Amino acid sequence: MNWLLVAAGAAVGAPLRYLTDRAVQARHDSPFPWGTFVVNVTGCLVLGLLTGAVSAGAAGHPVQLLVGTGLCGALTTYSTFSYETLRLTEAGSGLYAALNVVASVTAGLAAALTGVSLADALWA
């Protein structure tokens, strides 16, 4: 049963990632990978919120599998982040590559912390 929850979450997360990435990137005339940045930071926020909800007892293991492992696992993408950073470096856009790394890690951690804090405020 657990694998079905993960698969169901991933079935939503993967197309959501693709569609969000394309929609966001189409709105920016920049080599910076805005689409990947948005899906990764959003996934960090959702996972932080979920982690806080589970810690507070407001969500259980099935929700962790569905939303955390399935949805967020398919929505976020470390491999694409790494690939796009490498491509920026190879294209001579070292500043964008460095900005991508620093902004993604900083914003991702901030989003996860915000999610946990929000969950604490809601369910503590």
Side-chain angles (χ1 to χ4, degrees):
M1 178 65 172
N2 290 344
W3 69 271
L4 287 174
L5 291 169
V6 174
V12 173
L16 185 60
R17 175 185 125 35
Y18 176 78
L19 294 170
T20 302
D21 178 51
R22 295 295 102 210
V24 170
Q25 200 61 42
R27 289 174 171 73
H28 293 89
D29 187 27
S30 164
F32 189 83
W34 286 108
T36 300
F37 179 81
V38 168
V39 295
N40 284 344
V41 173
T42 301
C44 288
L45 177 66
V46 171
L47 199 52
L49 185 60
L50 175 64
T51 300
V54 169
S55 294
H61 187 64
V63 176
Q64 272 184 305
L65 291 172
L66 178 70
V67 177
T69 305
L71 179 83
C72 289
L75 176 67
T76 61
T77 172
Y78 185 76
S79 58
T80 302
F81 158 73
S82 300
Y83 173 73
E84 289 172 343
T85 302
L86 180 61
R87 279 192 38 213
L88 287 168
T89 303
E90 290 173 343
S93 297
L95 182 59
Y96 279 119
L99 180 62
N100 189 35
V101 171
V102 172
S104 292
V105 171
T106 303
L109 289 172
L113 180 59
T114 300
V116 169
S117 298
L118 181 58
D120 285 346
L122 292 171
W123 293 296

